[in-house]
């Protein structure tokens, strides 16, 4: 509990230092924080629970985003390792894919997996930072999606958003 409060305060401080106020989206299952100039979309586009879009830039052809997908794993008999293996196998099947990082971490005593990769998806060169959580037969997949060329610009804010994601 103290670690959660410390992480929350650190996130608030970090976002405020960057001159951004934060918003929070919270449900009975999870919560996430994001800069107020990002747009929250809960329309379910592309089977997402939500998408947080970055502030649009001049002549923007792709809006960087953080999204959440929740997948029901009932009857699939997948733990975190099995889900990660399945995901990595799917990534390897994507054109021009490359995995830069794949590691298990802990947040509030709960193991999760983080993977950074790139590939040619939906006609674009994209780069992703994903976190996989498994709880109560559900997979929670939180993803930062960027154009490969803008990843370095958005990874700091995107990581702060990803790290603010907590399961209840």
């Amino acid at each position: 509990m103290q670690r959660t409060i410390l992480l929350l305060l650190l996130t608030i401080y970090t976002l405020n230092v960057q001159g951004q106020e934060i918003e929070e989206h919270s449900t009975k299952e999870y919560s996430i924080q994001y800069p107020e100039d990002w747009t929250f979309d809960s329309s379910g586009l592309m089977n997402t629970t939500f998408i947080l879009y970055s502030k649009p830039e001049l002549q923007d052809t792709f809006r960087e985003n953080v999204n959440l997908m929740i997948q029901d794993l009932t009857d699939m008999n997948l733990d975190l390792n099995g889900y990660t293996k399945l995901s990595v196998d799917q990534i390897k099947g994507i054109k021009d894919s490359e995995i830069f990082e794949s590691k298990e971490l802990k947040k509030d005593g709960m193991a999760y997996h983080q993977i950074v990769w790139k590939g040619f998806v939906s006609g674009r060169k994209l780069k992703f930072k994903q976190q996989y959580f498994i709880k109560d037969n559900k997979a929670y997949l939180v993803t930062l999606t960027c154009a490969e060329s803008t990843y370095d610009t958005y990874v700091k804010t995107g990581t702060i958003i990803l790290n603010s994601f907590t399961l209840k």
Side-chain angles (χ1 to χ4, degrees), residues 32-43:
I32 192 164
Q33 297 173 346
Y34 57 95
E36 70 176 351
D37 62 353
W38 284 48
T39 305
F40 183 86
D41 177 348
S42 61
S43 68

Side-chain angles (χ1 to χ4, degrees), residues 117-167:
W117 63 281
K118 72 174 185 173
F120 194 75
V121 179
S122 299
R124 297 178 181 275
K125 290 182 179 181
L126 300 177
K127 190 167 181 180
F128 307 87
K129 186 173 200 175
Q130 298 181 308
Q131 295 180 350
Y132 310 147
F133 298 84
I134 305 294
K135 184 177 180 184
D136 299 332
N137 286 319
K138 291 181 183 177
Y140 296 81
L141 173 57
V142 191
T143 304
L144 167 66
T145 305
C146 299
E148 186 178 356
S149 61
T150 62
Y151 181 82
D152 291 341
T153 303
Y154 285 92
V155 69
K156 183 177 180 182
T157 299
T159 299
I160 291 169
I161 296 169
L162 289 174
N163 289 342
S164 77
F165 179 82
T166 54
L167 289 172

Side-chain angles (χ1 to χ4, degrees), residues 43-107:
S43 68
L45 185 66
M46 296 181 289
N47 296 318
T48 60
T49 302
F50 66 76
I51 302 175
L52 297 168
Y53 290 104
S54 65
K55 181 179 173 182
E57 296 177 4
L58 196 59
Q59 300 177 357
D60 216 349
T61 60
F62 181 82
R63 284 180 70 187
E64 289 65 24
N65 65 82
V66 172
N67 65 73
L68 171 66
M69 294 180 78
I70 301 174
Q71 298 173 313
D72 185 358
L73 300 179
T74 305
D75 300 326
M76 294 182 73
N77 197 28
L78 286 175
D79 60 7
L80 181 59
N81 289 333
Y83 185 82
T84 299
K85 182 184 179 332
L86 181 67
S87 297
V88 166
D89 288 347
Q90 289 175 345
I91 290 168
K92 288 178 179 177
I94 293 172
K95 182 180 177 185
D96 298 330
S97 67
E98 182 179 347
I99 296 173
F100 300 100
E101 172 186 291
S102 182
K103 62 184 176 183
E104 189 170 302
L105 301 166
K106 285 195 179 220
K107 183 186 293 186

